[in-house]
Amino acid sequence: NDGSDLLRFNQLESRTKKLRFSKSAIHDWGLFAGEPIYQGEFVIEYIGERFRGALEDIREAQYEYEGIGSSYLFRIDNETVLDATKCGNVARFINHSCDPNCFAKTIVADGTKRIVIYASQDISVGEEVTYDYKFPAEEVKIPCLCGSVNCRGYLN
Ligand SMILES: Nc1ncnc2c1ncn2[C@@H]1O[C@H](CN(CC[C@H](N)C(=O)O)CC2CN(Cc3cccs3)C2)[C@@H](O)[C@H]1O
């Protein structure tokens, strides 16, 4: 029931790892481990304002117009998008890698879908936290700078 979900969720919240954001070798700012993180551990929740996916293009265009640059939008599913531009946490600084050390998962906590980031391998202090954005293929390509041996070349 919601009660136990909420309790479990709050425990999740309190278990967010020590993370630092700093300049990244991949792109601009990135998120780095401030303490050892072990495979399977909860790292952080991707916090953002929830809005209907249908409005994503409008919001994206609005941010372009306001010169905010590419967005901190995280699409949960085809009807919900999280927007971390104005209210979010440091999860919005996590960069993409084709050889990531974390993965994003949709969970339901207190009745709402949320995005949580888990470690897919041990991560040492100072290592950049990354996950595969799994962006859908698009016409306009974004070159990937992850530098992994198996880099796919593009984010989308
Ligand atoms: N492996 C990669 N290769 C190339 N580019 C990457 C990679 N992985 C993340 N990217 C870029 O990063 C954005 C995802 N960003 C993650 C954090 C970012 N590093 C930041 O400093 O804010 C959030 C968006 C919000 N935007 C604000 C901007 C800051 C500077 C220019 S635009 C960036 C993505 O949409 C990409 O444009």
Side-chain angles (χ1 to χ4, degrees):
N1 67 359
D2 276 0
S4 64
D5 276 357
L6 195 55
L7 180 72
R8 199 169 42 249
F9 175 67
N10 285 336
Q11 280 161 351
L12 272 185
E13 184 100 12
S14 63
R15 279 167 41 207
T16 297
K17 289 293 173 193
K18 282 197 196 69
L19 300 162
R20 308 270 174 278
F21 83 93
S22 179
K23 290 304 277 179
S24 161
I26 296 178
H27 174 271
D28 218 2
W29 294 93
L31 205 57
F32 298 79
E35 64 179 319
I37 300 173
Y38 299 97
Q39 181 172 17
E41 280 195 307
F42 170 83
V43 177
I44 188 167
E45 182 195 359
Y46 191 101
I47 300 275
E49 187 191 343
R50 188 177 302 271
F51 71 98
R52 288 195 52 70
L55 299 175
E56 181 176 7
D57 299 344
I58 299 170
R59 246 196 221 214
E60 190 90 55
Q62 185 204 336
Y63 288 142
E64 290 300 323
Y65 174 72
E66 291 173 12
I68 293 181
S70 78
S71 62
Y72 290 100
L73 301 181
F74 192 116
R75 172 170 285 281
I76 294 188
D77 55 25
N78 51 21
E79 70 252 5
T80 316
V81 176
L82 287 182
D83 178 1
T85 307
K86 296 202 168 79
C87 72
N89 62 0
V90 289
R92 70 185 190 278
F93 289 107
I94 302 176
N95 282 318
H96 162 86
S97 176
C98 302
D99 177 25
N101 51 28
C102 290
F103 62 95
K105 190 167 179 292
T106 306
I107 64 165
V108 178
D110 60 311
T112 51
K113 282 186 183 174
R114 295 163 181 270
I115 299 291
V116 289
I117 310 290
Y118 285 96
S120 52
Q121 63 192 57
D122 291 355
I123 303 170
S124 31
V125 176
E127 203 178 327
E128 184 164 5
V129 165
T130 57
Y131 64 89
D132 187 331
Y133 281 12
K134 295 193 167 61
F135 278 170
E138 283 185 282
E139 303 283 303
V140 180
K141 293 294 187 196
I142 308 170
C144 179
L145 305 169
C146 75
S148 317
V149 171
N150 63 332
C151 178
R152 297 194 294 268
Y154 301 101
L155 291 188
N156 54 355

